[in-house]
Amino acid sequence: MTAQCVMVLGTTSGAGKSWLTTALCRHYARQGLKVAPFKAQNMSNNARVVGPHAPPLRGSLPPEGANFPWGGPAGNCVSGGEIGSAQYFQALAANAIPDVRMNPLLLKPERDTHSQVVLMGQVSAELTDLPWRGRSLRVWPQIAAALDALRAENDVVVIEGAGSPAEINLSSSDIVNMRVALHCNAACLLVTDIDRGGAFAHLYGTWALLPENERALIKGYVLNKFRGDASLLAPAPQMLQDLTGIPTVATLPMWWHHGLPEEDGVFDDRSVAKGAVNMTVAVIAYPRISNLDEFQPLKNIPGLRLQWVRSPSELAALQPTDWIILPGSKHTTGDLAWLRAQGLDAAVAAHAGRGGAVLGVCGGLQMLGEALIDTHGIDGNAPGLGLLPLVTVFAEDKTVRHTETRFAADLYSGLGAGTPSPWAALAGVAVAGYEIHHGQTQQHVAMAAAGDVALAVLPDGLGWQNATGNVLGVYLHGLFEDAQVLQALFGTKLNGPVPTLDTVFDGLADYIEQHFAPQVLERLIAPL
């Protein structure tokens, strides 16, 4: 088996490469084909843990004794690690088990001029210390081998590019765009964001800057985020085809509510579904926020508003029935200092004091405790927010693993006087997620001796709840991507089923099947 490769290139970052790649993965999977996604290099602090024990969706692993997509029986798989979240979701859309080969190189920004380098799922200190251009020669063999292995095991590999393929200052060290396309002779789509303006200039300019052998791989242009009457675009698409020989194969209308997580930044409020708002979930958007896309499923819940918050006044407007979430952080103590500088610490404490729900995830859990202790120079020392009687000690080794566990059956039920805990519905619920963290969290010994004890709601130090039941901290990422958790928390509040990622993927495939020109998607994977 040697897969046909389809590649999605963009004229700019944010043109729509990630979601279009995801849609293509689901489209080809629905044709009964074996599909895998690929992106040679991704830069994002939104990562997922994949590997032998990382099923894409609950219940979707092959039966015991079956082979995994990358070959070999369960227990003899390629070792796991981190990949960009976009490739994780693309794998789910393809009905494939996420694999480190789908994103062999991941760059996780830690400062404006420095990124941690993750190669084949594992952090590489050596590559992290290398200059940008010097790194490409070192990593290309692993990237090419990962792609070749996926091609050998699948019918179709859908590849996502990065930025623009016409960055001529970077072309000599390119390992993610046209070098990949040439390596596998990919049929390429070039997508542009027409809402920004200048779309035809972007398309023509990109084509013009590519050498002839790379231009030959581009099979169609895609106009994304179009608003208005598509007939008004004429005669520009034909003029562009006359200049370049390449047709415009799709004009995709603006779609704010597709439901796929945003990969590179906080979501745009315009993408929030309209209608009556019964509940607000406010996520603190500190500067080094990570894994923010795990909250996207909340945005798909009818009647729920998901809001990014950076000021105390925004939290002061919340009702006690609303939630505050402290998300993960790439630098916990730095973001905790920022939170205090904005006055958000007092605002979070005030909301909790009114009985409002507060959830800390990973770095957010660490912030909710009494103290963060760092003897290895990993993250820094800091006092916590004091909403949970816990202490976090940073460790040299990073915990990266997929976890399946279950909430305790005896969660604190609430504040009394008929006010239930917002988290009580999680009692006894099985949950699957992933951990990416330095540090371990335990009870504060002196506070526990004085009677201030947190309830361990997940085993092995993964989750804690305060005595009044409204403050919850967990190390487990992906809580709201678990269908059982969503059903427990929101199922009784909805008239229909809770929206899931699978319904999102099908919606994406339906969308491109509706708007692409006839037979284009089939021709992209036709044997040469």
Side-chain angles (χ1 to χ4, degrees), residues 274-298:
K274 304 302 179 185
V277 175
N278 303 314
M279 173 184 176
T280 296
V281 175
V283 182
I284 308 293
Y286 20 77
R288 299 169 188 86
I289 187 173
S290 67
N291 292 78
L292 56 91
D293 56 347
E294 66 180 302
F295 306 113
Q296 166 69 38
L298 293 177

Side-chain angles (χ1 to χ4, degrees), residues 165-182:
E167 303 288 355
I168 54 178
N169 58 313
L170 300 176
S171 59
S172 63
S173 56
D174 171 43
I175 55 171
V176 66
N177 285 309
M178 299 315 296
R179 187 170 186 178
V180 172
L182 290 168

Side-chain angles (χ1 to χ4, degrees), residues 355-373:
V358 177
L359 171 67
V361 179
C362 196
L365 159 63
Q366 295 171 346
M367 293 182 190
L368 289 174
E370 286 291 323
L372 298 91
I373 300 172

Side-chain angles (χ1 to χ4, degrees), residues 125-136:
E126 180 184 5
L127 290 175
T128 297
D129 292 338
L130 281 178
W132 182 283
R133 283 184 169 86
R135 187 184 301 145
S136 61

Side-chain angles (χ1 to χ4, degrees), residues 394-478:
F394 290 107
E396 289 185 287
D397 294 332
K398 186 178 185 180
T399 300
V400 179
R401 64 189 175 199
H402 182 268
T403 300
E404 295 189 28
T405 186
R406 185 179 296 272
F407 278 96
D410 56 344
L411 267 68
Y412 290 138
S413 59
L415 301 160
T419 303
S421 164
W423 316 115
L426 295 175
V429 172
V431 59
Y434 59 98
E435 300 173 56
I436 306 179
H437 59 91
H438 284 282
Q440 303 297 324
T441 300
Q442 298 178 342
Q443 296 272 0
H444 189 292
V445 175
M447 297 180 73
D452 190 356
V453 179
L455 175 67
V457 297
L458 289 171
D460 303 320
L462 292 179
W464 307 85
Q465 187 184 22
N466 68 339
T468 51
N470 61 316
V471 178
L472 175 68
V474 297
Y475 267 121
L476 205 61
H477 288 285

Side-chain angles (χ1 to χ4, degrees), residues 331-380:
H331 194 279
T332 304
T333 57
D335 279 340
L336 183 54
W338 174 88
L339 188 146
R340 284 196 165 97
Q342 311 309 308
L344 286 162
D345 55 338
V348 172
H351 183 73
R354 295 193 299 268
V358 177
L359 171 67
V361 179
C362 196
L365 159 63
Q366 295 171 346
M367 293 182 190
L368 289 174
E370 286 291 323
L372 298 91
I373 300 172
D374 183 4
T375 60
H376 300 288
I378 303 297
D379 198 284

